[in-house]
Amino acid sequence: MTDFYDQLADDYDAMVGVDQRSALARNFVRTLRLRLPCESALDVACGTGLYALAFAADGVPTVGGADLSPAMLAVARQQATAQSLDIDWWQVSMQRLGEAVRGTFDLVVCLGNSLPHLLTPQDLQDALSAFHSRLNPGGTLVVQVMNYSRILADQERIVEVNRHGANVFVRFYDFGQPTLRFNVLQLQGVGEGECEHTLVGTDLYPYQRHELAEALIGVGFHGLADFGSLTFEPFEPAASTTLVLTALKAG
């Protein structure tokens, strides 16, 4: 998984359309803080720092970001410096978060379909336990994954196609059992003569709501709520693009 994201780091923000996603991240943070006032937030599997940057820009006093990929974290650090934002960064896996990250937080988020990179029940349990350990009593965890109930039912292969200048990025799945393959095809020089391409991929486990809910309760979370978007719309298993779960740590 690390090699996969290290290879994508330089082009990642272009691939996902970071300008539009930054606006959505800022809106999410504002909405979330109205629902869940917090003085500290940790963005786990933060990638290039999208949500950590949004929390810091919105005025959360203490913000941290953690990711396994050194190349993705390098981009995140550069962006924080460019925006004069004070954020602590840690290079660590989700499962080992509790061993590396200092302090506890009012809010822990793990967004952007990161949990499916955990391919076994033990890895998922270890990660969720680590999230629990980094929360203050009464704190909240927010996780987001793709709605695999719909994706698997529809056998929907294409995740997204984005264009940035002369580059086209195609993200798509190859379906298998029990995992699926997440691929990124980059077409370089489209419309400028010869077109070169690169293809990278990584395995994902398509967690569905019942699996995540059971795992969250199993490590001590309670008060679970589900939503179908980062604007907290109702979750519709057959229609929602994404699944957002919130869970509480006992006070």
Side-chain angles (χ1 to χ4, degrees), residues 51-73:
Y51 294 98
L53 295 165
F55 279 115
D58 202 62
V60 175
T62 302
V63 178
D67 198 274
L68 186 58
S69 167
M72 297 285 271
L73 280 177

Side-chain angles (χ1 to χ4, degrees), residues 189-213:
V190 175
E192 298 183 357
E194 292 187 9
C195 176
E196 298 180 355
H197 77 277
T198 57
L199 177 65
V200 294
T202 190
D203 291 331
L204 301 178
Y205 184 89
Y207 289 107
Q208 299 182 57
R209 188 203 178 283
H210 68 280
E211 295 170 295
L212 293 176

Side-chain angles (χ1 to χ4, degrees), residues 25-94:
R26 291 192 296 269
N27 290 336
F28 164 73
V29 165
R30 294 189 192 109
T31 302
L32 184 64
R33 293 189 71 199
L34 289 173
R35 301 169 67 96
L36 303 167
C38 68
E39 294 297 307
S40 55
L42 175 64
D43 181 9
V44 181
C46 66
T48 58
L50 180 67
Y51 294 98
L53 295 165
F55 279 115
D58 202 62
V60 175
T62 302
V63 178
D67 198 274
L68 186 58
S69 167
M72 297 285 271
L73 280 177
V75 176
R77 288 189 176 98
Q78 291 168 6
Q79 296 199 51
T81 299
Q83 298 177 44
S84 299
L85 297 174
D86 185 14
I87 301 172
D88 293 318
W89 305 101
W90 294 276
Q91 183 190 339
V92 63
S93 70
M94 290 181 271

Side-chain angles (χ1 to χ4, degrees), residues 80-195:
T81 299
Q83 298 177 44
S84 299
L85 297 174
D86 185 14
I87 301 172
D88 293 318
W89 305 101
W90 294 276
Q91 183 190 339
V92 63
S93 70
M94 290 181 271
Q95 302 97 303
R96 301 178 69 89
L97 186 76
E99 301 172 19
V101 175
R102 299 183 300 274
T104 55
F105 300 80
D106 296 331
L107 181 67
V108 172
V109 301
C110 183
L111 309 171
N113 204 49
S114 297
L115 288 180
H117 292 91
L118 304 169
L119 300 180
T120 69
Q122 187 62 58
D123 282 340
L124 179 63
Q125 178 180 320
D126 290 346
L128 296 181
S129 294
F131 298 172
H132 192 274
S133 75
R134 294 304 90 201
L135 277 169
N136 290 323
T140 301
L141 171 68
V142 183
V143 300
Q144 176 203 24
V145 297
M146 299 294 288
N147 176 16
Y148 285 110
S149 295
R150 180 181 62 80
I151 290 169
L152 293 175
D154 296 345
Q155 291 290 285
E156 184 178 283
R157 293 193 68 200
I158 301 298
V159 178
E160 195 169 39
V161 179
N162 281 336
R163 181 163 189 154
H164 182 76
N167 292 342
V168 173
F169 301 91
V170 184
R171 286 177 280 166
F172 65 97
Y173 295 126
D174 291 322
F175 292 100
Q177 292 291 338
T179 61
L180 49 79
R181 188 73 173 173
F182 174 55
N183 305 285
V184 176
L185 173 64
Q186 181 178 0
L187 304 173
Q188 301 159 302
V190 175
E192 298 183 357
E194 292 187 9
C195 176

